[in-house]
Amino acid sequence: MTARRSPALSGRVRAPGDKSMSHRSLILGAMATGETRIEGLLEGDDILATARAVEAFGAVVERTGDGVWRVKGRGELRTPSGVIDCGNAGTGVRLLMGAAAGYPLTATFDGDGSLRKRPMKRVTGPLAQMGAGFGWLADEDRLPVEITGGALRAIDYEQTVASAQVKSAILLAGLNAGGVTAVTEREKSRDHTERMLRAFGAEVGVEDVGEGWRVMVKGGQPLTGTFVAVPGDPSSAAFPLAAGLIVPGSEVTVEGVMLNPLRTGLFETWLEMGADLTITNRRQSGGEEVGDVTARHSTLIGIVVPEARAASMIDEYPILAATAAFASGETVMRGVGEMRVKESDRIALMVAGLRACGVAVEEEPEGFIVSGGPVAGGATVHTAHDHRIAMSHLVLGLAADQPVRVDEPGMIATSFPGFVEMMRGLGAEIA
Ligand code: S3P
């Protein structure tokens, strides 16, 4: 798939449903008793894998319309008959392992080639401390793994990596553990699990600890099915907005974008870089603030991105790097070693992709520095099955001198199924 220099982009679009909240709505719906109705569910491949998984664990899952789903939970997960294939989804597998750990069941989790390379001990370690059993079927720390759940004990866990997936897995297990399970984070990570647990009727305690917090859940609390309205995903909205910022003459609005402050680090960063980015129509939806975000073509200036912001934009560094290629001066992104264990080694792939397109980039063990200037393009970029690497380079190509080709556009459907059509609708030349 190839993106080429495009005329001014314009239009209003809706962001697809938030991926984090979509996974959680299905998983909590399956753990709960009664019916959960979900609107705005992201129908990307990652989420469809989670829907199949919760069905295998005994929930009844039904799609009743565009993004409208119904989950009938049994108040527990049961031993599935086959392997739980989570596809490409790290969030899916890690949260499901946490959810499954508290029930008397056995299940084998697996995923695609990319997911099989990602570390799992960050989640299975604390779950094992709580009493769950794990049998590694290939390599230690990597899928496939067999989990044996059952009676768990609460733990008081201090996180070493800022990860909402780890925190969420422990909290979901904690719901079925004896005592109060606590997770302390030095830096706050996204809190969708905490918010959604409350919507399903559970109490979740929070205490501030320095810049971070301690999140607590008491075991034995039942969940009751509820209504979940999933707002637009800021991580997906980032792509059309980035295109609006870098293609001369553009004005692009994405409606209904979730503005949870633990997710909006990219917007703050772009504003500091001088972006003409405005938010209108702020409102509440599904327990989250949402708004319509407009990006107009901007003269961007490189900045040093504060390291403390990393958790609130960890998935957005690839598209930030693509926009930084058009900024004047250096954009310094440090403290983002976690990027190396996402769907791909995102530092290595962005460095390689941007360099192939003629952008000067310096690579560090836990970060990278992009020097902006004219972007030559004219390259084929290797994406290693990573949806965000593919979308970031296609957006880059819309303002580069020569076309940019990505080798594997199919993976975009994991998080943003209508991406290409949406971008074309705005006037982007992607073929
Ligand atoms: C997610 C958390 C982040 C993020 C991922 C979604 C979540 O991962 O990269 O895309 O929904 O909890 P980590 O928690 O591992 O940082």
Side-chain angles (χ1 to χ4, degrees):
M1 182 168 286
T2 304
R4 50 188 79 242
R5 185 181 262 278
S6 299
L9 306 181
S10 73
R12 298 180 73 87
V13 292
R14 266 202 93 74
D18 185 65
K19 182 155 75 71
S20 294
M21 286 181 68
S22 294
H23 281 298
R24 286 161 174 79
S25 63
L26 292 167
I27 296 169
L28 294 190
M31 295 171 80
T33 304
E35 188 173 300
T36 292
R37 197 179 125 80
I38 309 165
E39 273 181 22
L41 189 86
L42 169 67
E43 292 175 333
D45 292 343
D46 278 13
I47 305 302
L48 299 178
T50 292
R52 284 191 296 273
V54 298
E55 227 171 5
F57 278 116
V60 179
V61 181
E62 206 186 336
R63 180 181 192 270
T64 60
D66 236 7
V68 185
W69 290 62
R70 204 160 37 202
V71 181
K72 280 193 196 133
R74 296 184 187 275
E76 63 172 9
L77 305 187
R78 296 179 181 173
T79 296
S81 56
V83 170
I84 301 291
D85 182 357
C86 292
N88 192 243
T91 308
V93 73
R94 293 187 178 128
L95 268 57
L96 281 165
M97 287 199 282
Y103 301 105
L105 55 74
T106 309
T108 301
F109 287 96
D110 204 355
D112 69 6
S114 147
L115 195 55
R116 280 183 168 195
K117 288 193 195 130
R118 299 179 65 184
M120 292 296 144
K121 270 214 164 150
R122 50 178 59 198
V123 167
T124 63
L127 295 178
Q129 283 177 33
M130 297 175 83
F134 291 93
W136 303 102
L137 302 177
D139 297 326
E140 189 93 341
D141 197 19
R142 299 284 185 268
L143 296 178
V145 67
E146 186 185 72
I147 178 171
T148 307
L152 301 182
R153 50 193 172 270
I155 52 167
D156 196 336
Y157 193 73
E158 184 115 11
Q159 281 216 84
T160 45
V161 281
S163 165
Q165 294 178 358
V166 175
K167 172 180 63 177
S168 300
I170 297 170
L171 294 176
L172 294 182
L175 277 178
N176 291 308
V180 175
T181 294
V183 182
T184 304
E185 296 188 295
R186 259 174 263 159
E187 275 154 23
K188 296 178 181 174
S189 69
R190 64 190 72 191
D191 60 352
H192 307 303
T193 301
E194 296 91 309
R195 287 173 185 243
M196 214 181 274
L197 278 173
R198 294 189 191 106
F200 278 80
E203 270 179 40
V204 182
V206 179
E207 274 166 15
D208 277 331
V209 180
E211 297 293 296
W213 53 16
R214 184 159 184 266
V215 184
M216 292 153 285
V217 69
K218 191 165 180 232
Q221 300 188 69
L223 302 181
T224 309
T226 187
F227 171 67
V228 182
V230 180
D233 194 330
S235 303
S236 298
F239 297 102
L241 292 171
L245 294 178
I246 61 172
V247 176
S250 298
E251 176 171 330
V252 171
T253 298
V254 184
E255 297 174 351
V257 180
M258 188 220 292
L259 298 172
N260 179 315
L262 297 169
R263 296 288 301 281
T264 49
L266 175 67
F267 298 158
E268 280 168 62
T269 303
W270 273 342
L271 287 170
E272 286 171 14
M273 293 171 77
D276 183 348
L277 196 73
T278 48
I279 302 178
T280 54
N281 196 14
R282 284 181 184 264
R283 57 201 186 274
Q284 288 292 317
S285 174
E288 295 282 358
E289 189 180 16
V290 301
D292 302 338
V293 186
T294 300
R296 294 180 194 86
H297 176 243
S298 303
T299 304
L300 299 173
I301 315 153
I303 63 160
V304 178
V305 183
E307 293 185 29
R309 200 176 282 162
S312 70
M313 53 179 293
I314 192 64
D315 292 336
E316 279 67 81
Y317 284 90
I319 188 61
L320 171 63
T323 55
F326 296 91
S328 58
E330 288 186 344
T331 299
V332 180
M333 294 163 277
R334 292 199 168 114
V336 290
E338 274 295 296
M339 284 180 74
R340 294 201 185 270
V341 290
K342 296 295 179 188
E343 285 83 329
S344 67
D345 177 343
R346 286 181 171 163
I347 294 180
L349 282 162
M350 284 312 299
V351 169
L354 290 174
R355 280 186 186 154
C357 293
V359 180
V361 195
E362 231 177 280
E363 181 171 1
E364 296 180 350
E366 307 237 324
F368 57 130
I369 300 165
V370 173
S371 297
V375 178
T380 293
V381 171
H382 173 55
T383 63
H385 304 279
D386 188 325
H387 52 132
R388 297 198 203 280
I389 299 296
M391 288 187 279
S392 298
H393 285 95
L394 288 172
V395 167
L396 181 93
L398 301 177
D401 294 337
Q402 297 298 320
V404 175
R405 193 177 157 267
V406 299
D407 62 353
E408 215 153 13
M411 291 311 287
I412 292 172
T414 59
S415 69
F416 201 155
F419 170 76
V420 173
E421 295 70 24
M422 179 187 288
M423 295 303 295
R424 284 188 189 139
L426 293 169
E429 296 195 357
I430 301 181

